[in-house]
Amino acid sequence: MCDPLEAATPSRQPEPAAADRPGMSRRRVLGTMGVASAGLFAFADLVGRPGLAQAAPQDTDTSGASVILLGTNGGPPPLAARYGISSALVVNGKVYVIDCGRGALSQFVQAGLALTSLAGIFLTHLHSDHTVDYFSFPLLSATTGAFTSTEVYGPGPAGEPSLVPSAPGPVPGIAGLTSLANQAFAASTTFFKAENVGKDPASLVNVHEILPPASAGAALATPAPVMTPFTVLENSDVKVTAICVPHGAVYPAYAYRFDTDHGSVVFSGDTSPTPNIITLAQGADLLVHEAVDLAVYAGLGLPPALLAHLQAVHTDVTQLGRIAAESRVRALVASHLGPGDPAILSNEGWRKALRDSAKQAHFGGPMLLGMDLMQIPLRRH
Ligand SMILES: [Zn+2]
Ligand SMILES: [Zn+2]
């Protein structure tokens, strides 16, 4: 079997339009994904059902589960090479989106996912690189009936005063963000409604604010104490649990674990190394973890204070092998990459850093470099 680190190389070439492909089902959930590749099947041999990605769409068995990386860049500045951080979990034909960075909605469509299948949106924290495209989902669906409503889960208010003079008051949580975004676009909605072609975008989302259980002892001053995961959602397809993670001044910031009948996946969100990730990810089939390469940043001549900040709020790639090994996960995928610009750190440079990290920690499972539109089928141990 070839090395999945070398071989899992998704294509960024757009697929032909559905109408151009013979036999394309109109009721598709997973299309042909814009994902190539022999490499994916090599990885599928390890953690998934071989051939899922190459099945003809009308034959695609949507009773399974797979993760699709919609965007893999870390941080707010836009890049040509990677879209902002966002991932999708497809389970039993329903789609859950985790974080909505720049281009999340466009990539959702590019991946061949159907908005009518959108069952939930989960936001790990409220930094702009994770939220900027969130309201696009209801806003740009409000004239089409693309979905009637979806569940949204995200951090509740931090209980902290705003540091933005032009936006005073307490900083909003996900419910406030939603209502304020809806208000900001009231002109558009009003004009569409006046011609009877639109709905209220806010009516398309059912927002759930998440705050850690009081017993965890999490607070602004202690944002991520050692704690046990708590349940956010449980239905016939998924059980979603969350845990607080340390991410600088951010409170609350969550990692999410999705357990399905087909396998389990954990999304770290943005975090510095923490025992809480080890707890949440214990025994999972796949861990999608953020990564920065501090040595590369140091080589760029960044000011020491900025380097110290990056070290304090993110996870260096050298730590990922240890985290994967201690979590006893089956495979790890590095996403939310910093730097995400291949002109600064090439994909091969990232893969070497991941190999070195795995080797150092004696982690024998795959450590993949996340690529936009990469699809990873899940299969239980
Ligand atoms: Zn981020
Ligand atoms: Zn962040």
Side-chain angles (χ1 to χ4, degrees), residues 152-227:
V152 173
Y153 295 83
E160 191 171 26
S162 167
L163 295 178
V164 185
S166 59
V171 294
I174 184 59
L177 188 157
T178 303
S179 63
L180 289 164
N182 199 44
Q183 185 180 346
F185 288 99
S188 169
T189 302
T190 296
F191 301 149
F192 281 130
K193 282 179 73 72
E195 297 181 5
N196 299 312
V197 291
K199 294 181 186 171
D200 178 351
S203 71
L204 302 181
V205 289
N206 188 22
V207 178
H208 307 263
E209 288 197 324
I210 306 169
L211 286 169
S215 59
L220 260 175
T222 51
V226 172
M227 61 189 287

Side-chain angles (χ1 to χ4, degrees), residues 124-130 247 250 269-271 290 313-314 336:
T124 59
H125 65 293
L126 299 184
H127 269 153
S128 60
D129 56 317
H130 297 249
H247 185 42
V250 178
D270 286 9
T271 182
E290 72 126 87
V313 307
H314 291 295
H336 191 280

Side-chain angles (χ1 to χ4, degrees), residues 2-9 348 351 354-355 358 366-369:
C2 54
D3 179 355
L5 287 178
E6 300 298 334
T9 307
E348 184 44 45
R351 291 186 181 111
L354 289 165
R355 277 197 301 270
M367 296 259 290
L368 299 175
L369 175 65

